[in-house]
Amino acid sequence: MDLERQRRKEEIQKALGFIQSSLPFPEPEAYEAFLTQLVCNLLDEGNAAFREGDFRQATYHYSEGVSVARYAQAEALVIPPELLESLYVNRAAAYHNSGEYEKGVQDCDSALAVCEGSRRALYRKALCLRDLGRLREAYECGTSCLLTDPHDRQVSELAQELAAKLGLKIRKAYVSPQVLSQSHPTFSSLSGPRVMDYKYQPDAAHRCKRDVLLCRLKNSDDPTWKRVRPRPARNNFLGAFVLCKEVQERQECKYGENCTFAYCQEEIDVWTQERKGALSRELLFDPLGSTERRALSVTRLLQLHMGMFMFLCEECYDSKPRIISKRSKENLAVCSNLTARHPFDDNKCLVHVVRSANVRYSKVRPLHPLCQFDVCRHEVRYGCQREDSCSFAHSVIELKCWVLQQDTGITHEEIVQESKRHWHRLEQNAQSGSGRNRGLNLKMKFVCGQCWRDGLVSEPDKALKYCTAKARHSWTKERRVLLVKSFEKKKWVVVRPLPFSRSYPQQYDMCVHVMKQKKCHYIGNCSFAHSLEERDVWTYMKNNNLRDMQQMYDMWLTLTNQNHRPDGTLVTPPPEEKQIVMPTDYAEPMSGYHCRLCGKHSNSERQWQQHISSEKHKDRVFSCEGEDEGLAWRHRFPGPRFTLCPRLEGSCPEGASCDYAHSEEELAEWQERRDFLRRKLAKARDDMLIAPNDYDFGKYNFLLQD
């Protein structure tokens, strides 16, 4: 059973348990939506059982949904009639598959009483009547259903079958000549057969979790809505969109949804605006889309995606392998590539840099009239072969930068300057103790959520990759939990994320159940605070415009100075441009030498050789600190003799300084760590952490010998 279905079952059990009790609902105005969601879940669960062939279980869930709907109506609450119709029709289908045709007919009549003329109910009733032998009644239901939808193949076949059994003659349908003579301009108000046969029902209970774009022409005689399919983006087509020839001729298009021609004039208009970048359906689907687009700025981009904007040498960036070179500090006119020395101002390109566990670069190309405001599907999957000549965006940050440039006219130079000012403000706020952390009189820390559920408090390690527990859970966004503690109390309290809302409330209040020292029974995320500390944190986040826990986590890293990793790099980017080195940079001497373990960087080969020959560097290479397999030693560090001590039966006089192992467990650990250190040495050579020809490791040479 998938996780979604398991979660839905749990929600159904909790909701049924609540409505069977006499407890008051925390938010009376939301009780109707709560019951509607319960009915939707019961319908979905019944559909899942029906697809599995368990018709008895499906009937049980449909019946439970009908009972809850009747209970809601008795409480003067409105359940959408389309939802009740689906329950009756689907239960009739379950009865039909179980051979209970009379009950199926009764459910179809109930569905017709809710939604008069329901095509699904008429079709299902015709099937049940046919299997009961009542052919004349079944034929009447089938013809009524066929009149509502003449192009439905299943209904048409059923009507022909019943007509043949009744001995009725099949005749040819009449086609009006006025319909055949309609001209091309009036086609935009019509629908193609079996392609655009959709009806907009605003009161329907939607459960498909899909967004559909509907359009209609202003000041038109046709008030119906037309569905607009996603714009075909399989190539860089720049011509005018045209109508599908098959649909113009009133024929069924054999390509269906995959047809790259438009099915109506509304599709042509929308696709044209989307290609120009003047319309984004993602922002239309989002109720806050237009507001967020108006509020889009460089600061907003950095808050959403972190990182920073900077200029790099485009010639070096596009080379194979990629070389990261910025403006040279000695000569500002050229790049820092010691061998090429490209003119920097003539070759610079805007790049978005994000530092977390690794460094990610995203190039932002200049906006031009042929830019397509959509992400390239090839780049997302396996890399775009067109590279810079591609008209589609190669990353989400590039797409948003294009939108920002089109709306505000900001240049790349202004983006970089605004990025510097943003990080400079954050640095000043962190150093002065003002800004974001003002007014929060609480101790704060982030711990591993999985350990916290088990009663343990585990903070991240120095590399911010794993928690400090023995299990070493991954330190990811989903597993972090915020704990706060007031200076007057000794107990740490969990703070949940902000309750979802389109705008901040005027103030956050305490939960009534918690104030009465009871458990909150609200299903979902209660929008009331469950502790005084949580209310203070939510108020603080509201006053400082912090929408999610990721921003609180970034602030905690800055305030506690934990964004400095043990190798000298930063998890969050610095306020000014500092040297950023990729693993590919080690392959070329032109970018210098950089040791990730020690944080040492040098452009001189002689200084590099001195560093890798130092005892400090060798200890770093052969230690297990910060490595995935590098757990704490249970026994001594290996000696040069990987065998058991011959004097082990008595008492070895050398004790801990003996070169031999003193137990089978210690010997097994020595052999395991020797293999691990050899693999680590090979990786260090590949990453240029040590010189390829440097084989003298002093006191560690015995670990490399067989």
Side-chain angles (χ1 to χ4, degrees):
M1 183 181 298
D2 57 356
L3 294 178
E4 182 179 358
R5 188 173 178 186
Q6 182 66 31
R7 184 168 56 251
R8 184 171 60 217
K9 281 192 172 183
E10 293 176 357
E11 291 178 0
I12 290 175
Q13 294 299 327
K14 291 181 181 178
L16 289 176
F18 178 80
I19 64 175
Q20 289 170 0
S21 67
S22 59
L23 294 173
F25 197 71
E27 299 180 7
E29 64 278 1
Y31 192 48
E32 181 177 290
F34 170 75
L35 291 179
T36 302
Q37 183 61 44
L38 173 58
V39 176
C40 289
N41 289 338
L42 288 169
L43 177 61
D44 292 339
E45 190 60 31
N47 293 340
F50 186 91
R51 287 190 295 268
E52 294 176 351
D54 192 352
F55 304 119
R56 178 170 297 183
Q57 190 67 19
T59 303
Y60 168 76
H61 290 297
Y62 294 143
S63 302
E64 195 73 42
V66 172
S67 300
V68 174
R70 291 174 177 171
Y71 161 76
Q73 293 173 352
E75 296 291 327
L77 301 176
V78 179
I79 298 297
E82 291 80 6
L83 185 58
L84 195 56
E85 175 205 2
S86 298
L87 287 170
Y88 282 126
V89 173
N90 292 5
R91 190 170 68 173
Y95 281 142
H96 177 264
N97 284 274
S98 301
E100 303 181 52
Y101 305 124
E102 287 290 351
K103 292 184 179 180
V105 173
Q106 295 175 6
D107 273 349
C108 291
D109 291 336
S110 301
L112 291 171
V114 175
C115 293
E116 185 178 359
S118 171
R119 184 182 61 84
R120 298 171 56 207
L122 289 171
Y123 175 71
R124 190 61 59 184
K125 183 178 180 181
L127 290 178
C128 293
L129 290 172
R130 180 199 63 182
D131 294 335
L132 285 172
R134 298 154 63 178
L135 300 181
R136 177 61 63 177
E137 297 179 47
Y139 179 73
E140 292 177 358
C141 290
T143 53
S144 301
C145 182
L146 189 61
L147 291 176
T148 60
D149 190 359
H151 302 290
D152 194 315
R153 184 175 303 171
Q154 287 183 333
V155 180
S156 179
E157 293 176 354
L158 176 62
Q160 292 179 6
E161 176 189 350
L162 293 172
K165 290 182 178 180
L166 292 172
L168 302 177
K169 183 180 179 180
I170 306 299
R171 61 178 181 81
K172 185 179 179 180
Y174 166 76
V175 179
S176 174
Q178 296 180 356
V179 175
L180 296 175
S181 62
Q182 286 186 354
S183 58
H184 169 74
T186 60
F187 173 74
S188 61
S189 63
L190 298 178
S191 299
R194 299 186 62 81
V195 174
M196 299 290 290
D197 295 340
Y198 291 88
K199 182 180 179 181
Y200 176 49
Q201 299 179 356
D203 299 329
H206 301 284
R207 304 177 306 278
C208 60
K209 299 180 181 179
R210 289 170 46 195
D211 295 319
V212 177
L213 180 60
L214 303 178
C215 292
R216 65 181 180 185
L217 297 175
K218 288 185 177 180
N219 303 323
S220 175
D221 296 334
D222 185 9
T224 59
W225 292 88
K226 306 294 191 309
R227 184 175 72 99
V228 178
R229 297 170 297 149
R231 177 170 58 94
R234 298 183 178 178
N235 49 39
N236 291 345
F237 176 71
L238 301 178
F241 295 107
V242 296
L243 293 171
C244 177
K245 184 181 298 185
E246 284 78 8
V247 177
Q248 291 185 64
E249 296 175 355
R250 306 298 188 274
Q251 298 178 4
E252 181 179 352
C253 178
K254 62 181 180 180
Y255 295 102
E257 296 294 326
N258 298 323
C259 182
T260 57
F261 293 90
Y263 285 155
C264 59
Q265 186 62 39
E266 287 83 351
E267 276 194 339
I268 294 179
D269 297 339
V270 172
W271 287 357
T272 304
Q273 295 299 319
E274 283 184 309
R275 188 170 61 184
K276 292 180 180 179
L279 176 65
S280 174
R281 66 176 62 204
E282 286 76 16
L283 298 179
L284 289 176
F285 294 148
D286 186 2
L288 299 178
S290 58
T291 305
E292 290 189 0
R293 178 161 182 167
R294 287 195 299 268
L296 192 63
S297 62
V298 177
T299 302
R300 180 62 177 164
L301 287 178
L302 296 179
Q303 290 175 350
L304 293 175
H305 301 278
M306 298 305 298
M308 68 179 302
F309 292 99
M310 64 170 57
F311 283 119
L312 295 178
C313 177
E314 189 172 16
E315 291 288 339
C316 298
Y317 186 87
D318 293 338
S319 64
K320 302 289 189 300
R322 178 178 296 171
I323 301 172
I324 305 301
S325 59
K326 297 180 289 187
R327 189 188 297 273
S328 176
K329 295 182 179 180
E330 293 78 12
N331 185 0
L332 301 179
V334 297
C335 68
S336 59
N337 192 329
L338 299 178
T339 59
R341 293 293 185 180
H342 301 112
F344 191 81
D345 291 326
D346 297 336
N347 294 289
K348 66 181 180 181
C349 64
L350 181 65
V351 176
H352 178 254
V353 187
V354 177
R355 286 195 142 180
S356 54
N358 53 5
V359 186
R360 297 198 309 272
Y361 293 87
S362 300
K363 183 179 178 181
V364 180
R365 293 167 291 168
L367 177 67
H368 57 84
L370 298 181
C371 284
Q372 306 290 312
F373 286 79
D374 198 358
V375 179
C376 177
R377 65 186 182 94
H378 300 290
E379 181 67 21
V380 173
R381 292 179 180 176
Y382 45 79
C384 181
Q385 300 296 326
R386 298 176 61 90
E387 296 182 347
D388 287 353
S389 62
C390 180
S391 301
F392 293 88
H394 283 180
S395 64
V396 176
I397 191 68
E398 185 177 51
L399 177 61
K400 291 188 177 181
C401 286
W402 286 357
V403 173
L404 178 62
Q405 284 187 273
Q406 186 188 51
D407 293 347
T408 63
I410 190 173
T411 63
H412 283 188
E413 286 76 8
E414 293 172 341
I415 291 177
V416 173
Q417 294 300 323
E418 184 63 30
S419 174
K420 290 182 179 180
R421 287 193 291 268
H422 170 74
W423 286 107
H424 184 63
R425 288 193 297 268
L426 291 183
E427 179 105 348
Q428 286 183 338
N429 293 340
Q431 292 178 355
S432 61
S434 59
R436 284 186 172 182
N437 59 332
R438 179 181 299 169
L440 187 61
N441 191 24
L442 296 170
K443 295 181 180 179
M444 180 178 66
K445 66 178 178 181
F446 280 84
V447 299
C448 175
Q450 193 165 348
C451 295
W452 175 257
R453 288 192 295 270
D454 297 335
L456 301 176
V457 179
S458 302
E459 297 190 50
D461 57 9
K462 294 182 180 179
L464 298 179
K465 289 185 178 180
Y466 306 96
C467 71
T468 54
K470 283 188 177 181
R472 291 177 65 80
H473 301 120
S474 298
W475 186 254
T476 57
K477 179 180 179 181
E478 295 77 16
R479 292 186 175 181
R480 294 195 293 259
V481 173
L482 174 60
L483 301 181
V484 296
K485 181 176 69 171
S486 63
F487 293 96
E488 296 81 13
K489 299 180 181 179
K490 297 182 179 181
K491 183 179 179 182
W492 290 94
V493 180
V494 177
V495 176
R496 299 169 295 151
L498 281 176
F500 176 79
S501 60
R502 296 185 178 180
S503 59
Y504 291 113
Q506 188 172 3
Q507 66 179 16
Y508 290 103
D509 298 323
M510 292 291 298
C511 179
V512 178
H513 302 284
V514 175
M515 293 180 65
K516 295 179 179 179
Q517 297 182 353
K518 297 181 179 180
K519 183 179 180 180
C520 178
H521 295 281
Y522 180 71
I523 299 176
N525 188 13
C526 181
S527 58
F528 295 93
H530 285 179
S531 64
L532 296 175
E533 292 83 359
E534 187 173 64
R535 185 183 64 179
D536 294 341
V537 173
W538 285 1
T539 304
Y540 167 78
M541 295 176 68
K542 169 197 168 200
N543 295 336
N544 292 272
N545 197 25
L546 300 175
R547 284 283 182 179
D548 52 22
M549 283 299 174
Q550 180 63 34
Q551 293 174 304
M552 289 289 290
Y553 176 69
D554 296 331
M555 185 193 70
W556 175 72
L557 290 178
T558 304
L559 296 179
T560 58
N561 202 28
Q562 294 201 32
N563 55 338
H564 291 276
R565 300 174 64 188
D567 56 2
T569 59
L570 291 174
V571 176
T572 53
E576 68 269 355
E577 296 182 2
K578 293 184 179 180
Q579 181 67 24
I580 297 179
V581 185
M582 289 279 288
T584 54
D585 298 340
Y586 303 124
E588 294 291 337
M590 63 186 67
S591 58
Y593 300 92
H594 185 84
C595 179
R596 288 201 302 263
L597 292 178
C598 308
K600 179 71 174 179
H601 181 81
S602 175
N603 292 324
S604 171
E605 185 175 357
R606 183 179 61 83
Q607 294 179 356
W608 172 254
Q609 292 292 341
Q610 291 178 352
H611 167 68
I612 62 176
S613 301
S614 63
E615 292 298 323
K616 176 183 177 182
H617 174 75
K618 293 175 182 178
D619 289 340
R620 281 273 191 171
V621 172
F622 286 94
S623 68
C624 298
E625 180 182 358
E627 293 292 335
D628 296 354
E629 301 99 324
L631 304 177
W633 286 87
R634 298 189 300 272
H635 302 92
R636 298 173 297 151
F637 191 88
R641 308 290 184 181
F642 282 79
T643 57
L644 288 175
C645 179
R647 295 169 291 183
L648 188 60
E649 296 179 357
S651 59
C652 182
E654 296 184 17
S657 60
C658 181
D659 295 337
Y660 295 86
H662 281 180
S663 65
E664 293 286 352
E665 294 79 10
E666 189 175 60
L667 179 60
E669 185 182 36
W670 284 11
Q671 294 173 347
E672 179 184 356
R673 289 310 175 93
R674 179 179 61 181
D675 296 337
F676 163 70
L677 293 173
R678 286 178 178 176
R679 294 194 303 269
K680 184 175 179 181
L681 173 63
K683 185 178 184 301
R685 286 172 176 164
D686 294 340
D687 291 346
M688 293 298 292
L689 297 175
I690 60 175
N693 298 324
D694 184 21
Y695 294 99
D696 183 17
F697 294 98
K699 61 183 180 180
Y700 300 110
N701 280 333
F702 70 93
L703 291 171
L704 311 177
Q705 299 173 359
D706 295 326

